[in-house]
Amino acid sequence: MKKTFLQMLAVAAFGAALSLQAQWQTQSILIKPGWSAIYVHVDASYDTLNDLIGNDHSNPITEVWMWQPPAGTSQYITSPQNPATGASQWLVWEAAGTGLPSTLAKLVPNAAYLVHSTASGNYTWNIQGRPMAPTYAWTTTGENFLGFPTPSALAPKFDAFFAPAPSWPTDAEIYQYQGGALSTINPSQVFSSHTTPVTRGQAYWIRTGSFYNNYYGPFSVTLQDSSGVNFGDSSSQYSLHLKNATASAVTVKLKLLASETPPTFPPQTPIAGVPPLLVRGALIASNLTYTYTNLTTSSSVTWTLPPQGKNGSDMIVVIGLNRYALTNNPGALYAGILQLTDAAGLSEVDLPVSANVASYAGLWVGKASVSQVQAYLKSFQRDGDNTPIVDPNTGSYTVTGINTNLGPTASTFPLRLIVHNDGTHARLLQRVFYGSDLGSNTIVTTSESSLDPAQLGSARRISSIDLPWTPNNTPISLSGSLAPGGLLQGIINLDYGDQASNPFLHTYHPDHDNLDVNFQKQLPVGSESYTITRNISLNITPPNNDFTSLTQAGQTFTGAYAEAVTLTGLSGATRTYNVAGSFGLSRISSVAVLTP
């Protein structure tokens, strides 16, 4: 069963209201006394017409009629039909006390409206909403009631606007409302196309017979999704498809504008700033990275598209979000407006762009590769035959120095890393379990007993043999921040008598069991084993200065791994050995809670 237009409109308006939390722009539309035809380019569905108009006592608008394009009918409208009839092509909102019940609750974007004003003079209706990319549905079996995405500042004339159109019919009929009462001459036909402007925000009746029009400006832009350029808290790249719609070259400029302050009612998400955007450039063949251009509110990027059908007349523009430059708290909203214009001043397309600061909470798994180790090599005093000289007082060779520099290992040694971050604190884990609990919720836990026994087949255990095993699987606290450029540090203390994890102990070997000859008393530290203190550092490096690295910051972390291993022996004597290398971590779960 097909949905009615009313049902689809309600769903569209409801969905738009749920997702409306970002960019704000005011569309100012001139409303004449009597009837005016307007075209709305912003999504103002965050509030009702009762609030936008009815509660504004300075607003003289008493009726708003939204046009529903008829399906397969040919008829010309000179007055609004009765919205109560099943054949009506109109949805209506009327101010309280004016008569018919309202069937239109909110303003939706990319729609044409008839508006009635009781004012004696012109009124500017300022509609604050979310800018939306233009979308059109053209019919060849009737009239089209629509507006065009022309520039706000200086509107082109009709003949200039349609001059680049490949095959715009010369007999096309265009009608516009002049204000005043509806009549046989209102709307009136546009005859002076060289002097009549195509005003942004004004709607026109257009009849072209059997000609199908797909020209709404010299260039078109296609988005990945109709909601706009929304990076959310995880995406970092977005593609726009630009296409020349004319037989001549078109130069398109891209600018970034700041969002307006959100309306105070209903309460909207505050905006922390303009998102730091990058426009991807050429590929560098030597290292397979891309150049980029910073897109700020004081800069712009331009492209010249060859004539339609020529090589390069349509192109993909890749916009990147530099997440490394987002410095606010997780969840904070950055928003702005991407504005596309052509050099001839015929079109202006405004697109919403938004991003949320990502939280690095969750389970991160990776490895460190130890590639350097500190030597502890003594050098001795030697005679002419290169023989070490014995000190007569001690009977030992005379030491002249100790080399403690880091040097390369014969081969890299891998260490498994398991880090859980709750958004504030990071912890290193020897083992972790990932699966569903009894309520079918996905959890990250330190104990298998927290998982649903019936779903263990799909659960996962991740463990590291490089960290000490403890009965309660106690996490190792890490200081610092798990974020690009952050430094994590943690200390692992391993008791000299830990039979489960201390590598100097061999429980069933009499020389390495930490027991006396009678296997009764535990020997002092340093007799057969040592207390081990491991001081681990994960120094997360900032991303490289290329498009891919900057836009993928926070998806994975890489950096320098360092560990100082201190052995404590007899009488508290210590010696420290350092190792170094690199590490990498990838987030496999965004679950922020570590279930004990």
Side-chain angles (χ1 to χ4, degrees):
M1 181 172 139
K2 294 183 178 179
K3 291 183 177 180
T4 66
F5 183 85
L6 284 171
Q7 289 174 317
M8 291 187 289
L9 181 65
V11 170
F14 180 69
L18 289 178
S19 62
L20 191 63
Q21 61 117 30
Q23 315 79 343
W24 297 96
Q25 183 184 59
T26 296
Q27 181 180 357
S28 298
I29 303 176
L30 182 66
I31 306 297
K32 299 176 181 179
W35 290 97
S36 299
I38 69 171
Y39 194 84
V40 177
H41 293 280
V42 298
D43 185 354
S45 62
Y46 67 96
D47 205 354
T48 65
L49 284 169
N50 286 335
D51 288 331
L52 294 175
I53 299 177
N55 291 338
D56 182 1
H57 299 298
S58 65
N59 194 320
I61 296 174
T62 58
E63 298 178 48
V64 178
W65 297 73
M66 177 182 168
W67 171 246
Q68 303 176 87
T73 62
S74 179
Q75 50 184 308
Y76 184 71
I77 307 300
T78 57
S79 63
Q81 300 175 12
N82 186 344
T85 65
S88 174
Q89 278 78 53
W90 298 92
L91 295 176
V92 62
W93 173 88
E94 292 190 330
T98 55
L100 293 174
S102 296
T103 56
L104 176 66
K106 299 180 178 182
L107 287 177
V108 295
N110 292 313
Y113 301 83
L114 271 180
V115 175
H116 184 262
S117 170
T118 58
S120 58
N122 291 339
Y123 170 74
T124 300
W125 189 14
N126 295 316
I127 306 172
Q128 190 176 30
R130 182 170 179 254
M132 295 295 290
T135 58
Y136 296 97
W138 188 272
T139 177
T140 59
T141 58
E143 286 67 39
N144 295 277
F145 192 31
L146 46 80
F148 296 94
T150 52
S152 305
L154 185 62
K157 305 303 187 289
F158 269 98
D159 58 353
F161 182 77
F162 285 110
S167 55
W168 182 255
T170 57
D171 60 347
E173 299 177 39
I174 302 174
Y175 295 82
Q176 65 178 347
Y177 289 85
Q178 303 292 338
L182 299 173
S183 67
T184 56
I185 58 173
N186 185 31
S188 61
Q189 187 170 358
V190 174
F191 292 105
S192 301
S193 59
H194 61 287
T195 60
T196 304
V198 189
T199 304
R200 186 181 183 90
Q202 185 172 338
Y204 305 89
W205 287 106
I206 302 178
R207 178 163 52 194
T208 57
S210 60
F211 172 76
Y212 180 80
N213 175 56
N214 59 2
Y215 174 87
Y216 303 99
F219 68 89
S220 64
V221 56
T222 304
L223 306 183
Q224 291 179 198
D225 59 82
S226 60
S227 64
V229 185
N230 180 19
F231 293 105
D233 62 358
S234 57
S235 298
S236 295
Q237 295 184 16
Y238 192 100
S239 298
L240 307 176
H241 185 189
L242 289 181
K243 187 175 183 179
N244 189 343
T246 75
S248 302
V250 172
T251 299
V252 180
K253 178 188 288 186
L254 174 65
K255 294 177 60 178
L256 176 62
L257 308 177
S259 169
E260 296 176 354
T261 301
T264 57
F265 183 84
Q268 304 296 319
T269 304
I271 296 174
V274 177
L277 299 182
L278 312 174
V279 180
R280 193 178 73 180
L283 177 67
I284 302 174
S286 60
N287 58 9
L288 298 180
T289 62
Y290 287 94
T291 62
Y292 67 88
T293 300
N294 282 302
L295 186 62
T296 67
T297 54
S298 59
S299 65
S300 62
V301 181
T302 60
W303 303 274
T304 297
L305 304 178
Q308 186 183 53
K310 301 293 184 180
N311 186 32
S313 62
D314 60 274
M315 64 178 297
I316 300 297
V317 177
V318 180
I319 308 295
L321 174 69
N322 184 358
R323 288 199 173 273
Y324 182 63
L326 295 176
T327 58
N328 220 298
N329 294 326
L333 173 66
Y334 285 74
I337 298 166
L338 290 174
Q339 186 177 85
L340 292 158
T341 57
D342 66 287
L346 301 180
S347 285
E348 174 191 314
V349 175
D350 296 330
L351 307 174
V353 56
S354 64
N356 297 94
V357 179
S359 169
Y360 300 122
L363 179 62
W364 298 75
V365 176
K367 71 173 183 177
S369 296
V370 175
S371 57
Q372 291 184 301
V373 64
Q374 181 184 29
Y376 200 84
L377 300 177
K378 296 179 181 179
S379 56
F380 303 98
Q381 186 179 6
R382 298 175 183 271
D383 59 18
D385 295 329
N386 201 29
T387 302
I389 299 176
V390 177
D391 187 332
N393 297 320
T394 63
S396 302
Y397 293 123
T398 303
V399 177
T400 59
I402 301 175
N403 181 2
T404 58
N405 296 329
L406 286 170
T409 59
S411 61
T412 58
F413 187 81
L415 302 173
R416 169 68 62 84
L417 296 176
I418 305 169
V419 176
H420 185 270
N421 181 34
D422 62 8
T424 304
H425 301 99
R427 289 166 287 188
L428 193 63
L429 295 166
Q430 189 276 327
R431 60 191 182 277
V432 71
F433 301 87
Y434 177 67
S436 298
D437 63 8
L438 291 173
S440 296
N441 302 303
T442 300
I443 62 170
V444 175
T445 176
T446 59
S447 173
E448 182 180 329
S449 61
S450 298
L451 300 175
D452 181 1
Q455 301 188 60
L456 290 181
S458 60
R460 294 292 180 267
R461 168 180 168 153
I462 306 169
S463 59
S464 171
I465 62 171
D466 312 307
L467 297 176
W469 182 91
T470 56
N472 295 325
N473 194 17
T474 304
I476 301 161
S477 295
L478 297 173
S479 63
S481 173
L482 181 65
L487 173 63
L488 293 175
Q489 292 181 307
I491 298 176
I492 302 172
N493 292 310
L494 188 58
D495 187 77
Y496 85 104
D498 188 343
Q499 297 281 347
S501 300
N502 195 307
F504 290 101
L505 288 178
H506 301 83
T507 304
Y508 300 107
H509 193 295
D511 294 334
H512 303 287
D513 59 3
N514 238 14
L515 299 176
D516 63 10
V517 294
N518 295 318
F519 306 104
Q520 299 296 320
K521 296 181 179 180
Q522 182 167 278
L523 295 174
V525 59
S527 300
E528 292 185 358
S529 68
Y530 303 93
T531 294
I532 303 173
T533 301
R534 298 173 60 185
N535 197 323
I536 293 176
S537 296
L538 303 175
N539 193 349
I540 303 172
T541 57
N544 294 329
N545 189 26
D546 64 83
F547 180 84
T548 302
S549 297
L550 290 173
T551 56
Q552 290 184 348
Q555 305 302 314
T556 59
F557 289 129
T558 59
Y561 179 86
E563 182 174 342
V565 182
T566 300
L567 305 181
T568 302
L570 290 170
S571 303
T574 62
R575 179 172 292 175
T576 298
Y577 298 89
N578 291 287
V579 299
S582 60
F583 78 93
L585 289 171
S586 297
R587 182 162 61 176
I588 66 171
S589 170
S590 60
V591 176
V593 176
L594 181 63
T595 302

Short mmCIF file of all heavy atoms in Angstrom, two decimals, residues 203-231:
data_model
loop_
_atom_site.label_atom_id
_atom_site.label_comp_id
_atom_site.label_asym_id
_atom_site.label_seq_id
_atom_site.Cartn_x
_atom_site.Cartn_y
_atom_site.Cartn_z
N ALA A 203 9.32 31.94 -5.21
CA ALA A 203 8.87 30.80 -6.00
C ALA A 203 8.15 31.29 -7.25
O ALA A 203 7.49 32.35 -7.24
CB ALA A 203 7.95 29.90 -5.19
N TYR A 204 8.24 30.51 -8.33
CA TYR A 204 7.65 30.87 -9.62
C TYR A 204 6.90 29.67 -10.18
O TYR A 204 7.32 28.52 -10.00
CB TYR A 204 8.75 31.29 -10.61
CG TYR A 204 9.64 32.41 -10.12
CD1 TYR A 204 10.80 32.12 -9.39
CD2 TYR A 204 9.34 33.73 -10.39
CE1 TYR A 204 11.62 33.13 -8.93
CE2 TYR A 204 10.17 34.76 -9.93
CZ TYR A 204 11.30 34.44 -9.21
OH TYR A 204 12.12 35.45 -8.75
N TRP A 205 5.80 29.99 -10.87
CA TRP A 205 5.14 28.96 -11.66
C TRP A 205 5.83 28.90 -13.02
O TRP A 205 6.05 29.93 -13.66
CB TRP A 205 3.67 29.29 -11.87
CG TRP A 205 2.80 29.12 -10.66
CD1 TRP A 205 2.27 30.09 -9.88
CD2 TRP A 205 2.35 27.88 -10.12
NE1 TRP A 205 1.53 29.55 -8.85
CE2 TRP A 205 1.55 28.17 -8.99
CE3 TRP A 205 2.54 26.54 -10.46
CZ2 TRP A 205 0.95 27.21 -8.21
CZ3 TRP A 205 1.93 25.57 -9.68
CH2 TRP A 205 1.15 25.90 -8.57
N ILE A 206 6.19 27.70 -13.47
CA ILE A 206 6.88 27.54 -14.75
C ILE A 206 6.20 26.41 -15.53
O ILE A 206 5.95 25.33 -14.99
CB ILE A 206 8.37 27.21 -14.56
CG1 ILE A 206 9.05 28.31 -13.75
CG2 ILE A 206 9.06 27.04 -15.91
CD1 ILE A 206 10.51 28.06 -13.47
N ARG A 207 5.91 26.73 -16.81
CA ARG A 207 5.31 25.71 -17.69
C ARG A 207 6.17 25.63 -18.94
O ARG A 207 6.42 26.63 -19.60
CB ARG A 207 3.87 26.09 -18.03
CG ARG A 207 3.19 25.11 -18.98
CD ARG A 207 1.68 25.26 -18.98
NE ARG A 207 1.28 26.65 -19.20
CZ ARG A 207 0.03 27.10 -18.99
NH1 ARG A 207 -0.89 26.27 -18.51
NH2 ARG A 207 -0.28 28.36 -19.22
N THR A 208 6.64 24.41 -19.26
CA THR A 208 7.50 24.20 -20.43
C THR A 208 6.97 23.14 -21.38
O THR A 208 7.72 22.65 -22.23
CB THR A 208 8.91 23.79 -19.98
OG1 THR A 208 8.82 22.60 -19.19
CG2 THR A 208 9.57 24.88 -19.17
N GLY A 209 5.71 22.77 -21.24
CA GLY A 209 5.15 21.76 -22.12
C GLY A 209 5.79 20.41 -21.87
O GLY A 209 5.92 19.97 -20.73
N SER A 210 6.23 19.76 -22.93
CA SER A 210 6.82 18.42 -22.80
C SER A 210 8.32 18.46 -22.51
O SER A 210 8.95 17.41 -22.36
CB SER A 210 6.59 17.62 -24.09
OG SER A 210 7.18 18.29 -25.20
N PHE A 211 8.90 19.66 -22.40
CA PHE A 211 10.34 19.76 -22.14
C PHE A 211 10.64 19.40 -20.69
O PHE A 211 10.01 19.93 -19.76
CB PHE A 211 10.81 21.19 -22.42
CG PHE A 211 12.23 21.45 -22.01
CD1 PHE A 211 13.29 20.98 -22.77
CD2 PHE A 211 12.52 22.16 -20.84
CE1 PHE A 211 14.60 21.21 -22.39
CE2 PHE A 211 13.82 22.39 -20.45
CZ PHE A 211 14.86 21.92 -21.24
N TYR A 212 11.60 18.49 -20.52
CA TYR A 212 12.01 18.11 -19.16
C TYR A 212 13.26 18.91 -18.80
O TYR A 212 14.29 18.84 -19.47
CB TYR A 212 12.32 16.62 -19.07
CG TYR A 212 12.75 16.20 -17.69
CD1 TYR A 212 11.81 15.99 -16.69
CD2 TYR A 212 14.10 16.06 -17.37
CE1 TYR A 212 12.19 15.62 -15.41
CE2 TYR A 212 14.49 15.70 -16.10
CZ TYR A 212 13.53 15.48 -15.12
OH TYR A 212 13.93 15.13 -13.86
N ASN A 213 13.18 19.66 -17.72
CA ASN A 213 14.28 20.52 -17.31
C ASN A 213 15.09 19.89 -16.19
O ASN A 213 14.52 19.42 -15.20
CB ASN A 213 13.75 21.88 -16.83
CG ASN A 213 14.85 22.76 -16.29
OD1 ASN A 213 15.82 23.02 -16.99
ND2 ASN A 213 14.70 23.21 -15.05
N ASN A 214 16.39 19.87 -16.34
CA ASN A 214 17.27 19.45 -15.24
C ASN A 214 18.36 20.49 -15.00
O ASN A 214 19.42 20.19 -14.45
CB ASN A 214 17.89 18.08 -15.52
CG ASN A 214 18.72 18.05 -16.79
OD1 ASN A 214 18.85 19.07 -17.47
ND2 ASN A 214 19.24 16.89 -17.14
N TYR A 215 18.07 21.73 -15.43
CA TYR A 215 19.01 22.83 -15.22
C TYR A 215 18.47 23.74 -14.12
O TYR A 215 17.40 24.33 -14.25
CB TYR A 215 19.19 23.64 -16.51
CG TYR A 215 20.04 24.87 -16.34
CD1 TYR A 215 21.42 24.81 -16.44
CD2 TYR A 215 19.46 26.11 -16.04
CE1 TYR A 215 22.21 25.93 -16.27
CE2 TYR A 215 20.24 27.24 -15.87
CZ TYR A 215 21.61 27.15 -15.97
OH TYR A 215 22.38 28.27 -15.79
N TYR A 216 19.22 23.83 -13.03
CA TYR A 216 18.85 24.72 -11.93
C TYR A 216 20.03 25.62 -11.54
O TYR A 216 20.05 26.19 -10.46
CB TYR A 216 18.40 23.90 -10.72
CG TYR A 216 17.25 22.98 -11.08
CD1 TYR A 216 17.49 21.64 -11.36
CD2 TYR A 216 15.96 23.47 -11.16
CE1 TYR A 216 16.43 20.80 -11.71
CE2 TYR A 216 14.91 22.64 -11.51
CZ TYR A 216 15.15 21.31 -11.78
OH TYR A 216 14.12 20.48 -12.13
N GLY A 217 20.98 25.73 -12.44
CA GLY A 217 22.16 26.53 -12.23
C GLY A 217 23.29 25.97 -13.06
O GLY A 217 23.20 24.85 -13.58
N PRO A 218 24.38 26.70 -13.24
CA PRO A 218 25.46 26.26 -14.13
C PRO A 218 26.24 25.05 -13.62
O PRO A 218 26.98 24.44 -14.38
CB PRO A 218 26.37 27.50 -14.21
CG PRO A 218 26.07 28.28 -12.98
CD PRO A 218 24.62 28.05 -12.68
N PHE A 219 26.10 24.71 -12.35
CA PHE A 219 26.74 23.50 -11.84
C PHE A 219 25.78 22.81 -10.89
O PHE A 219 24.87 23.42 -10.31
CB PHE A 219 28.06 23.82 -11.12
CG PHE A 219 27.89 24.59 -9.84
CD1 PHE A 219 27.71 23.93 -8.62
CD2 PHE A 219 27.89 25.98 -9.82
CE1 PHE A 219 27.53 24.63 -7.43
CE2 PHE A 219 27.72 26.69 -8.65
CZ PHE A 219 27.54 26.01 -7.45
N SER A 220 25.97 21.51 -10.74
CA SER A 220 25.18 20.73 -9.78
C SER A 220 26.13 20.09 -8.79
O SER A 220 27.31 19.85 -9.08
CB SER A 220 24.36 19.66 -10.49
OG SER A 220 25.20 18.70 -11.12
N VAL A 221 25.62 19.82 -7.61
CA VAL A 221 26.41 19.16 -6.57
C VAL A 221 25.59 18.00 -6.01
O VAL A 221 24.41 18.15 -5.70
CB VAL A 221 26.82 20.14 -5.45
CG1 VAL A 221 25.62 20.83 -4.84
CG2 VAL A 221 27.63 19.44 -4.38
N THR A 222 26.20 16.84 -5.94
CA THR A 222 25.55 15.64 -5.41
C THR A 222 26.28 15.23 -4.14
O THR A 222 27.51 15.13 -4.12
CB THR A 222 25.58 14.49 -6.43
OG1 THR A 222 24.99 14.93 -7.65
CG2 THR A 222 24.83 13.29 -5.90
N LEU A 223 25.51 14.96 -3.09
CA LEU A 223 26.08 14.61 -1.80
C LEU A 223 26.01 13.10 -1.57
O LEU A 223 25.23 12.39 -2.19
CB LEU A 223 25.34 15.32 -0.68
CG LEU A 223 25.20 16.84 -0.77
CD1 LEU A 223 24.48 17.38 0.47
CD2 LEU A 223 26.55 17.50 -0.91
N GLN A 224 26.84 12.63 -0.63
CA GLN A 224 26.76 11.23 -0.22
C GLN A 224 25.41 10.92 0.41
O GLN A 224 24.88 9.82 0.25
CB GLN A 224 27.87 10.91 0.78
CG GLN A 224 29.26 10.93 0.19
CD GLN A 224 30.34 10.64 1.21
OE1 GLN A 224 31.50 10.93 0.99
NE2 GLN A 224 29.99 10.08 2.33
N ASP A 225 24.86 11.88 1.15
CA ASP A 225 23.52 11.74 1.70
C ASP A 225 22.90 13.13 1.77
O ASP A 225 23.60 14.13 1.86
CB ASP A 225 23.55 11.08 3.08
CG ASP A 225 24.38 11.87 4.08
OD1 ASP A 225 23.86 12.85 4.64
OD2 ASP A 225 25.54 11.50 4.30
N SER A 226 21.59 13.17 1.73
CA SER A 226 20.89 14.44 1.62
C SER A 226 20.97 15.30 2.87
O SER A 226 20.65 16.49 2.82
CB SER A 226 19.41 14.18 1.28
OG SER A 226 18.80 13.41 2.30
N SER A 227 21.39 14.73 3.99
CA SER A 227 21.42 15.49 5.23
C SER A 227 22.55 16.49 5.29
O SER A 227 22.57 17.37 6.14
CB SER A 227 21.50 14.55 6.44
OG SER A 227 22.74 13.83 6.41
N GLY A 228 23.53 16.36 4.39
CA GLY A 228 24.64 17.29 4.37
C GLY A 228 25.96 16.63 4.71
O GLY A 228 26.08 15.40 4.75
N VAL A 229 26.96 17.45 4.95
CA VAL A 229 28.31 16.97 5.23
C VAL A 229 28.43 16.79 6.74
O VAL A 229 28.80 17.70 7.47
CB VAL A 229 29.37 17.95 4.70
CG1 VAL A 229 30.77 17.38 4.88
CG2 VAL A 229 29.12 18.25 3.23
N ASN A 230 28.09 15.61 7.21
CA ASN A 230 28.08 15.33 8.64
C ASN A 230 29.14 14.28 8.95
O ASN A 230 29.00 13.12 8.59
CB ASN A 230 26.70 14.85 9.08
CG ASN A 230 26.65 14.55 10.56
OD1 ASN A 230 27.49 15.01 11.33
ND2 ASN A 230 25.67 13.78 10.98
N PHE A 231 30.22 14.71 9.61
CA PHE A 231 31.29 13.78 9.97
C PHE A 231 30.98 13.00 11.24
O PHE A 231 31.61 11.97 11.49
CB PHE A 231 32.60 14.56 10.17
CG PHE A 231 33.14 15.17 8.90
CD1 PHE A 231 33.02 16.53 8.67
CD2 PHE A 231 33.76 14.40 7.95
CE1 PHE A 231 33.52 17.12 7.52
CE2 PHE A 231 34.26 14.96 6.78
CZ PHE A 231 34.14 16.32 6.57
#
